Amino acid sequence: MLVKLTAAIAVLVGTLVLAACGGDGGGLESGSGDTDTSDIPTAQGGEPSGELTISNWPLYIDKQTIPNFEQETGVETQYIEDINDNTEFFGKLRPQLSQGESGGRSIIIPTDWMAAKMYDLGYVQNLDKSAIPNVEENLIPSLQSPSFDPNRDYSVPWQSGMTGIIVRKDLAPDITSINDLFDPKYKGKVTMLSEMRDTVPLVMKADGVDPAEATDQDWLDAIDKIEQAAASGQVRDFTGNDYADDLTRGDVVAAIGWSGDAVQLQADNPNIEWRMPDEGCMLWTDNMEIPIGAPNTPAALAFMNYVYDPEVAADITEYVQYVSPVAGVKEILTKRDPKLANNQLIFPDEEFTADCTIQVSPEDEEGVTEAFETVLQG
Amino acid sequence: MKWLKDHALNIYAGLAVAYMLIPIGVIALFSFNNPQGRYNFTWEGFTLDHWKDPFAIEELTDALITSIELAIVATLIATALGTLIAIALVRYEFFGRKASNFLIVIPTATPEVVIGAALLSMFLLPPFVDIISLGFPSLVVAHVMFSISFVVIVVRSRLIGFDRSLEEASRDLGAGALTTFRTVTLPLLMPGIVAAGLLAFALSIDDFVISNFNSGTTVTFPLYIYGASQRGIPVEVNVLATLLFVVTAIAMAFTVWQQRRAEQLASVRPAE
Amino acid sequence: MSTVRRRLIPYGLLTPGLLWLILFFVVPMYFMARIALYEGSSTTGYEFAWNFSNFSDALSENDTQFVRSFYYSGVATVIALLIAYPLAYAIAFRGGKYKNLLLFAVVAPFFTTYLIRTLAWQTILSDESFIVNALQTIGLVADDGRVLDTSGSVIAGLTYNFLPFMILPIYASLERLDTSLIEAAKDLYSSATTAFRKVTLPLTGPGIVAGVLLTFIPASGDYINAEFLGSQNQAMIGNVIQSKYLVVTDYPAAAALSFVLLAIILILVVLYIRFAGSEALMGEEAEKA
């Protein structure tokens, strides 16, 4: 018995001793940080052919677009829905990206802040704009010049959405503000998003802090408030899209959630409704990018161009029911489905989103992220 | 009262078995659900639609096929390698036996999350990054790795209870070691090897954690479900899961029936 | 066959499989050990620095989750044992013709994907479900309480998912039991209970040991049950490792945490085997060929 215990310890110690020898630690040791922007390659356009792999969020495309694209261009397209969370996707892909590999993907579709972060780390290529004329022509004005990519050099919007409160109006009719989620009346019946840049800024807004001006301390204060609610059981859980089942079953009466989901949930349960919080919502856009080391950039650019054809964009929005970045979609959908065209969640007007804030990142990203993650892990 | 005492154990067993099968019942039940939207969480009406076309979702079907292919390849390799190891460990005394024994067991004591992460960190470094691409190849490597230990454990337990006299008889009749192995040992060992293979297959089809770390862009059945669980699992998933269950049930019933037949035939003697 | 060739046979048999394990288990662990000693952050880059504080930090920062994980898996293991033993006994001795059928019913959960059956429990244990309402009527659950997203549901999930691992080894050792020994005990005037206690139980010891280990070890590192059936207050160490690795991408911390978990499990296992006997785990002595 003692032999076995010794053997066990020997193996563990031996492994650690071996750790002293050995050379390169691999991709982790390469420094990261802001890359010299003149070094960033530009993805070239050209005649599309061959194979294409796209990574996107689940259920974010209609059933016809990919087959139609394949037919029109002859490009064999593999569409993978493996993005469930920006940070998790980044974490999964990062080791390869730091080596200049994209794991075979030619298009990835992260949210604004992650799109920017990846570019700053040198993991994303610039785009050959001559290959995407439809984008130049049809991108709606409000998305043409975001702060992180003023010339849209490397990102092309896919869909936009709003984060607000999704409510069971039969069980919690009076919830209209994020602060209502902290009401003890709803203890254990409320969920928040695990996406830090949705949850924390909303809590800040409810307390009168503008996320765009917030200091790191403001972020940490909001996280403290959330932490107390989490530990006490006021907040039942931190979710991704899985607030959907909680709401449908009635386990949860109010969740911080995304606009497109609510439209879908209503089909299964008309009592579910997305509400614009009193203090405003968060606005975000998911963006198509071409990662470093991506194969077949001509096909990737051709795809980006394809989905900016208003007819195609209308197909996508009709199914996905988020906000389209392509001009002309509303007109097309008005003829197909007037109810959809008049839905504020899909075609919001200026007034509707007056108090909404575009997602931002804190300055001490790492410290704040770690503080938030600690809350999520109990 | 006595009836209760006598049958308490049986009643208990019945309840326990029912408990084991409840979730399967729920899964099967919801495969007949007819949800209006994307989400399959509340009962909305009975329909056979999804059973009529269970392969409607291309990505899902592809994922299932990938999982099955992966499981077959991994099982074949792991069973072969594991059986050889088991034979060596049980039948031979040699230097390094205890250490090998130990090495075989350690992976079963390691949490999957640790194995998965460790494998990923290695797959990204040269020379591995060039030889084994992250995707199907890395999955095969990972699945074989965690299956070998289980194959060894199963085959070894079968070997330990082995009746050597049949082998001795074969040797007495002049057969060489290899022939004996081929014609006597291996066939008798087959049930154990098959059991080990089935276990490896089940472990591979079901694996999520290790696959999540090492799959690259390849999507296996469990990985598809994990992604879909965030956004609403299509009813087709329930249908395929139920189908998988039924097919395995039939396969098991078949093996049992075959075994019984084999036993019956073996017991038939020519008239004296 | 010459003696030299004979002595080489076991090595020949071992090599392919062991090589695979060494290459794809031991070597990755080495790399992970190396990473555990790194210092730095994801923005500044990492460098190897014999940073042993990663290990002590891992232990001290996550002590709640460690304790919680071993508590959950410990309770789940005990409950699984209590459920599995009588069930295995019933199948082995009362199963008769239906033995294989019952065994299959017991292993059946295995053949549906882990994730789906855990998600099924989410539906079964939701606040308004039939079962939870029944439990509330009986009084086991408070009227305003819930089952889902509590430690109860996580433990229940762990128990359910690892029950087959507990049942099979116990069943195997019960099946091999020589019933004449029990008869002998009864002939010697012992009661059914005493016969069980003094004959059956000890003889099925190896099966129990194997079952306990095969349940406790994977359950300790699990994170799926906590993720789907629990809230943030039920996070287990597996959740933290997954988060640190895939979300926060703090690789040194994640690697250090993994090793600490591994070390604790090994220590617990060794202690347990010391206490319970080792044949079940390591196998018997080699037969002389």
Side-chain angles (χ1 to χ4, degrees):
Chain A
M1 203 56 253
L2 199 53
V3 175
K4 287 164 187 153
L5 183 53
T6 321
I9 298 179
V11 168
L12 274 175
V13 171
T15 321
L16 291 176
V17 168
L18 276 178
C21 344
D24 195 296
L28 290 178
E29 286 186 21
S30 45
S32 19
D34 285 329
T35 319
D36 179 7
T37 45
S38 58
D39 276 347
I40 296 183
T42 305
Q44 292 304 318
E47 197 55 43
S49 64
E51 294 174 356
L52 180 67
T53 302
I54 304 174
S55 269
N56 202 355
W57 300 75
L59 300 176
Y60 217 12
I61 198 174
D62 68 306
K63 301 202 195 300
Q64 286 308 117
T65 301
I66 298 286
N68 288 343
F69 177 71
E70 282 182 314
Q71 215 172 35
E72 207 175 283
T73 58
V75 173
E76 206 180 301
T77 310
Q78 189 193 20
Y79 182 83
I80 319 172
E81 295 171 325
D82 61 348
I83 310 183
N84 290 302
D85 176 272
N86 282 300
T87 351
E88 198 173 317
F89 183 66
F90 176 67
K92 210 169 144 184
L93 219 49
R94 193 217 183 123
Q96 291 169 284
L97 288 172
S98 62
Q99 309 254 21
E101 294 292 315
S102 72
R105 298 170 177 83
S106 298
I107 299 181
I108 54 178
I109 310 189
T111 316
D112 292 328
W113 63 271
M114 180 52 82
K117 179 170 172 166
M118 284 181 149
Y119 185 73
D120 287 339
L121 287 170
Y123 294 159
V124 157
Q125 304 187 38
N126 283 323
L127 304 171
D128 173 5
K129 301 229 192 148
S130 64
I132 42 176
N134 281 349
V135 177
E136 293 301 294
E137 209 180 294
N138 296 327
L139 180 56
I140 58 180
S142 58
L143 287 175
Q144 278 173 4
S145 256
S147 54
F148 62 89
D149 187 12
N151 293 325
R152 284 290 179 195
D153 283 326
Y154 61 87
S155 62
V156 174
W158 172 260
Q159 297 280 305
S160 299
M162 295 171 272
T163 312
I165 316 177
I166 308 188
V167 164
R168 278 291 294 264
K169 61 182 186 204
D170 55 333
L171 298 173
D174 57 344
I175 293 191
T176 56
S177 155
I178 294 290
N179 279 331
D180 289 335
L181 297 178
F182 292 94
D183 188 339
K185 187 165 62 170
Y186 298 114
K187 180 167 175 175
K189 290 281 189 186
V190 150
T191 62
M192 295 188 174
L193 286 173
S194 55
E195 172 66 74
M196 178 180 86
R197 288 165 182 76
D198 276 325
T199 300
V200 181
L202 279 173
V203 172
M204 287 197 286
K205 279 163 76 80
D207 281 338
V209 178
D210 181 1
E213 314 279 319
T215 62
D216 286 334
Q217 191 54 46
D218 290 325
W219 282 80
L220 292 173
D221 288 339
I223 292 178
D224 266 337
K225 181 175 173 182
I226 298 172
E227 208 250 319
Q228 278 167 28
S232 73
Q234 173 74 23
V235 175
R236 181 178 177 134
D237 205 358
F238 290 87
T239 67
N241 296 75
D242 40 326
Y243 52 65
D245 46 358
D246 293 327
L247 280 168
T248 316
R249 287 194 299 250
D251 290 350
V252 154
V253 302
I256 298 185
W258 295 307
S259 49
D261 290 341
V263 184
Q264 271 301 310
L265 279 169
Q266 259 165 359
D268 283 313
N269 187 339
N271 282 318
I272 296 181
E273 139 183 306
W274 189 92
R275 289 196 181 159
M276 173 69 74
D278 294 332
E279 54 274 349
C281 68
M282 297 306 294
L283 291 172
W284 47 265
T285 308
D286 289 322
N287 300 278
M288 295 187 275
E289 296 186 315
I290 298 186
I292 203 93
N296 203 351
T297 56
L301 289 163
F303 182 78
M304 291 186 183
N305 200 47
Y306 182 72
V307 297
Y308 265 74
D309 176 338
E311 287 285 342
V312 178
D315 286 339
I316 298 177
T317 300
E318 193 176 355
Y319 180 82
V320 167
Q321 300 187 350
Y322 276 96
V323 180
S324 178
V326 178
V329 170
K330 183 166 183 179
E331 287 71 25
I332 296 176
L333 284 182
T334 313
K335 292 185 222 136
R336 289 192 207 172
D337 186 349
K339 212 175 85 175
L340 216 63
N342 290 323
N343 191 336
Q344 282 280 20
L345 292 182
I346 305 180
F347 297 103
D349 56 25
E350 291 263 341
E351 205 192 301
F352 188 62
T353 55
D355 289 325
C356 294
T357 320
I358 299 186
Q359 271 186 353
V360 287
S361 290
E363 219 176 295
D364 175 17
E365 225 185 296
E366 209 171 289
V368 173
T369 305
E370 208 175 308
F372 188 66
E373 273 297 308
T374 317
V375 176
L376 296 188
Q377 299 302 325
Chain B
M1 196 55 226
K2 183 164 194 309
W3 182 90
L4 200 63
K5 258 188 83 178
D6 281 345
H7 291 90
L9 193 58
N10 292 13
I11 296 176
Y12 168 77
L15 287 173
V17 170
Y19 164 68
M20 303 291 301
L21 296 175
I22 292 177
I24 301 177
V26 170
I27 296 169
L29 182 66
F30 273 84
S31 70
F32 295 106
N33 193 10
N34 188 19
Q36 291 303 313
R38 283 187 210 147
Y39 302 102
N40 189 14
F41 302 120
T42 43
W43 186 259
E44 288 175 53
F46 183 91
T47 175
L48 286 173
D49 283 347
H50 302 282
W51 276 92
K52 287 191 212 140
D53 189 13
F55 303 110
I57 302 181
E58 204 181 315
E59 290 86 31
L60 172 60
T61 313
D62 285 344
L64 184 58
I65 294 176
T66 307
S67 275
I68 294 178
E69 287 174 356
L70 175 61
I72 292 177
V73 174
T75 300
L76 289 174
I77 302 178
T79 312
L81 295 179
T83 306
L84 293 178
I85 296 182
I87 296 174
L89 284 177
V90 174
R91 292 287 177 89
Y92 296 90
E93 184 64 64
F94 56 90
F95 176 73
R97 187 170 163 270
K98 278 216 156 73
S100 307
N101 227 346
F102 187 69
L103 178 58
I104 301 292
V105 166
I106 289 265
T108 56
T110 315
E112 290 205 304
V113 70
V114 175
I115 297 181
L119 271 174
L120 180 62
S121 27
M122 190 188 79
F123 280 139
L124 296 167
L125 305 172
F128 295 102
V129 73
D130 304 309
I131 304 176
I132 303 173
S133 61
L134 211 57
F136 197 83
S138 59
L139 284 172
V140 169
V141 167
H143 282 222
V144 170
M145 189 236 99
F146 68 68
S147 299
I148 291 185
S149 308
F150 289 99
V151 170
V152 172
I153 293 176
V154 172
V155 176
R156 179 168 63 191
S157 67
R158 178 88 188 169
L159 266 175
I160 289 177
F162 212 71
D163 184 358
R164 305 301 298 273
S165 55
L166 285 166
E167 290 174 325
E168 284 165 22
S170 157
R171 300 294 290 275
D172 286 344
L173 289 169
L178 207 54
T179 321
T180 308
F181 180 76
R182 213 171 26 90
T183 55
V184 180
T185 318
L186 210 49
L188 286 173
L189 204 50
M190 242 338 130
I193 298 181
V194 168
L198 285 175
L199 181 60
F201 191 83
L203 287 174
S204 170
I205 281 238
D206 208 23
D207 179 69
F208 167 70
V209 177
I210 298 184
S211 304
N212 192 27
F213 280 88
N214 294 291
S215 59
T217 52
T218 309
V219 184
T220 64
F221 190 55
L223 286 176
Y224 180 90
I225 296 172
Y226 185 65
S229 71
Q230 302 278 325
R231 280 250 178 170
I233 299 186
V235 182
E236 281 77 1
V237 168
N238 289 57
V239 174
L240 287 178
T242 315
L243 267 177
L244 205 59
F245 175 74
V246 167
V247 165
T248 342
I250 295 178
M252 284 213 73
F254 183 70
T255 21
V256 168
W257 177 72
Q258 278 283 58
Q259 232 180 359
R260 216 165 263 167
R261 268 197 75 205
E263 282 167 24
Q264 279 174 352
L265 287 173
S267 66
V268 168
R269 298 255 175 269
E272 291 296 322
Chain C
M1 181 186 298
S2 74
T3 326
V4 172
R5 273 188 71 191
R6 205 121 191 268
R7 292 198 61 186
L8 286 180
I9 291 181
Y11 294 109
L13 291 171
L14 275 181
T15 309
L18 270 195
L19 203 62
W20 197 288
L21 276 181
I22 292 176
L23 203 54
F24 300 117
F25 179 72
V26 178
V27 172
M29 294 307 237
Y30 154 67
F31 282 121
M32 190 165 236
R34 236 179 144 250
I35 294 173
L37 293 171
Y38 280 14
E39 179 175 76
S41 73
S42 53
T43 37
T44 63
Y46 297 109
E47 60 176 21
F48 184 76
W50 286 105
N51 193 7
F52 280 105
S53 66
N54 283 333
F55 290 100
S56 47
D57 286 344
L59 196 51
S60 59
E61 281 169 23
N62 300 291
D63 53 352
T64 331
Q65 286 86 359
F66 269 116
V67 169
R68 198 188 280 151
S69 300
F70 292 120
Y71 169 65
Y72 287 172
S73 52
V75 172
T77 307
V78 169
I79 299 180
L81 181 57
L82 292 174
I83 296 182
Y85 202 101
L87 182 55
Y89 192 92
I91 299 179
F93 293 123
R94 306 277 182 93
K97 297 188 290 175
Y98 302 109
K99 254 191 220 182
N100 283 320
L101 187 63
L102 288 172
L103 214 49
F104 170 72
V106 145
V107 175
F110 238 157
F111 297 114
T112 53
T113 320
Y114 188 27
L115 288 165
I116 300 191
R117 57 182 190 260
T118 312
L119 284 166
W121 278 110
Q122 232 187 30
T123 313
I124 299 172
L125 293 177
S126 78
D127 294 0
E128 298 303 316
S129 74
F130 169 71
I131 296 210
V132 173
N133 281 331
L135 287 173
Q136 280 171 332
T137 326
I138 304 180
L140 278 173
V141 174
D143 274 340
D144 62 345
R146 64 172 192 245
V147 175
L148 201 55
D149 295 320
T150 64
S151 32
S153 53
V154 177
I155 294 178
L158 286 170
T159 310
Y160 180 81
N161 278 314
F162 293 105
L163 203 48
F165 285 109
M166 180 68 84
I167 295 180
L168 288 177
I170 296 181
Y171 173 79
S173 64
L174 275 170
E175 243 241 319
R176 268 189 254 153
L177 198 60
D178 188 352
T179 44
S180 58
L181 289 167
I182 304 181
E183 283 168 28
K186 292 213 179 132
D187 285 345
L188 290 168
Y189 301 111
S190 86
S191 68
T193 339
T194 321
F196 177 77
R197 213 165 33 88
K198 297 215 163 162
V199 180
T200 317
L201 208 49
L203 284 176
T204 52
I208 298 180
V209 169
V212 165
L213 290 175
L214 281 174
T215 305
F216 180 77
I217 293 173
S220 308
D222 183 77
Y223 67 87
I224 299 290
N225 285 286
E227 187 171 325
F228 287 119
L229 298 173
S231 77
Q232 65 279 359
N233 296 324
Q234 277 81 44
M236 293 171 68
I237 202 67
N239 297 80
V240 182
I241 294 178
Q242 192 239 17
S243 161
K244 286 225 189 292
Y245 210 101
L246 292 180
V247 181
V248 182
T249 63
D250 186 354
Y251 301 120
L257 208 46
S258 306
F259 269 103
V260 173
L261 176 62
L262 192 53
I264 298 181
I265 289 182
L266 277 176
I267 294 175
L268 289 174
V269 165
V270 166
L271 285 175
Y272 175 70
I273 293 180
R274 185 114 216 226
F275 173 69
S278 70
E279 292 101 34
L281 188 65
M282 291 304 192
E284 297 160 17
E285 287 299 313
E287 307 163 5
K288 299 295 176 222

